[in-house]
Amino acid sequence: MSDETRADRLLCDRVAVVTGGGGGIGAATARLFAGQGAHVVIVDVDAALAARTVDDIAESGGSAVAVVSDVRDAAAVDDLARSVLDRYGRVDVLVNNVGHWLRHPGEFVDTDPRFWDELYRINLHHVFLVTHAFLPAMVARRAGAIVNVSSVEGLRGYPEDPVYAAFKAAVIQFTRSLAVQVGGRGVRVNGIAPDVTESLQVPYSQWLSADEQAQWPQWVPVGRMGVPEDQARVILFLASDLSAFVTGHTVPTDGGTGAAGGWYRSSRRPDREWTNRPVAP
């Protein structure tokens, strides 16, 4: 690859930290970043998963290292930041991708406050910890982009788990507020809010029957389930200079489900294309 071609890549020689980068959206993001010239630090609790993604990137000629770390732990995050800054001297992009709904909790009145704390640590607290650890280096250089991964459940009512939804909504508000605070210091902060995306935590292809999978054209306006690469491409946009004048926003990467607002394509009503009836659309 010529120097001219290399320089044309969107993240040429930038240092990018991706938490939860071993699989799913995180791995897709790491691979895409590396393909665009970034030196990617893949952070994951699963050593084998992280190593596999590093190997994939290396085989494609990219640059990546794996760091096994639990970003819910403050001491581990401090060690992570120290190791990255010692190795590269800077961080240009941070993707706070870790998150999980953990398990179906049942009714809120029946949940245990200890479960709320688990949800807090994996969906919100680590965003604070990791951002707090890397932000000073960005501010010092007056350059940096942070992308937080929230969820569609942070934008709408989520009756299956109001606590999870509250933390995902908090990620969006943190994104908005921090962006305003540090915008004059050269750091941009944005986010995405995925829906209906195949991932490690939400393996739709395993959960849905063939009949249910055939309903994607009715359930999602774009007509299909999302894949991790769909999310990664938006993250790349927000991390790169293509979005140099964008900060404080969370992009609903949902295939149009949010815009549809509960309306579905109808397969059984020849007189009307759309219905808001949830049974047998």
Side-chain angles (χ1 to χ4, degrees), residues 24-62:
I25 293 171
T29 300
R31 288 192 293 265
L32 187 58
F33 278 14
Q36 290 295 324
H39 305 289
V40 185
V41 180
I42 294 170
V43 184
D44 209 292
V45 293
D46 189 323
L49 206 59
R52 191 178 310 134
T53 303
V54 168
D55 290 344
D56 289 345
I57 290 171
E59 288 176 7
S60 300

Side-chain angles (χ1 to χ4, degrees), residues 139-202:
V139 169
R141 296 182 62 249
R142 299 189 66 81
I146 299 171
V147 184
N148 298 320
V149 178
S150 179
S151 168
V152 66
E153 310 306 354
L155 294 168
R156 67 185 181 190
Y158 183 42
E160 290 220 314
D161 193 345
V163 176
Y164 171 87
F167 292 139
K168 287 302 187 181
V171 171
I172 293 171
Q173 183 63 8
F174 177 67
T175 297
R176 181 183 295 120
S177 300
L178 184 64
V180 175
Q181 185 179 86
V182 301
R185 301 172 198 171
V187 181
R188 295 183 302 107
V189 189
N190 290 289
I192 65 168
D195 191 10
V196 292
T197 301
E198 179 87 1
S199 68
L200 289 176
Q201 291 88 6
V202 189

